Every structure is written in C-alpha cells, then in structure tokens.
Amino acid sequence: AGSKSSITGEDYYGAYDAQDTAKANAEKLGVIPVPSLNLVYTEEEGYVTADEAKEKDLHIQKLSGTKFRQMLRGGEDIPEWFAFKSVVKVLRENI
C-alpha cells in the first residue's frame, strides 16, 4: 500500500476501489474478500453507510482523533457512538 492522495490532494483511487479489485481477482488470488463499508453515525438513524447518509441528507456526527485524545486526557465524556465506555476506561487507566 501507499499514499491514497497525491501531493496536490487528488485521490489516486476511490473509496471502494481496493475492495472491488480484490473481489474481481478473488478466485485467481485464492482469497475470499470481506467487504468493509464506510459507516458513519447520524443523529437521525444511528449507524448507516456514508453513501446512505449523503443520499438522505442526514446529520453526521464527527469526532477527530485529536479532539478525542483531548477529551480523553481532560476527563470529558466521550460519546458512546464513538467509543465503548469500557474502552474509554481502559485508555484512561493507561495514559
């Protein structure tokens, strides 16, 4: 694997191109690909695919890794749609 984007920020390939290539060559490679969908969390319907959220104009909840780490270190509540409470507990015990 390599970089997904060029120096100008242009994507080399689409979101599902790698999965599509694996599927198209599965028999030749002797593998059974397991698809991975780009899931997002929405206010209205909980977890849905990003494509579905866009089609339905749903409000996607986002939390960057940087913000998550700040909240984790600051003892702030982490939304359960982002991380299980049990995981947050372990992370806080080990930072």
Side-chain angles (χ1 to χ4, degrees):
S3 176
K4 180 182 180 299
S5 303
S6 70
I7 196 166
T8 62
E10 187 176 330
D11 286 346
Y12 288 124
Y13 51 86
Y16 299 106
D17 286 356
Q19 291 183 62
D20 293 342
T21 299
K23 187 176 178 180
N25 294 285
E27 188 175 333
K28 179 169 57 173
L29 296 171
V31 298
I32 300 172
V34 178
S36 175
L37 301 175
N38 183 15
L39 296 180
V40 295
Y41 188 83
T42 66
E43 294 175 12
E44 300 87 352
E45 296 188 19
Y47 294 102
V48 297
T49 65
D51 292 341
E52 182 179 353
K54 185 176 180 180
E55 288 169 11
K56 294 181 175 180
D57 197 30
L58 302 175
H59 297 94
I60 297 173
Q61 299 293 302
K62 294 182 180 180
L63 183 61
S64 72
T66 299
K67 180 65 177 168
F68 171 63
R69 289 186 296 278
Q70 289 172 346
M71 293 172 74
L72 192 64
R73 290 183 184 116
E76 298 176 54
D77 288 337
I78 308 295
E80 287 190 54
W81 55 261
F82 188 82
F84 295 114
K85 286 185 177 190
S86 58
V87 172
V88 171
K89 181 179 183 283
V90 169
L91 291 172
R92 285 199 167 128
E93 291 170 353
N94 292 287
I95 56 172

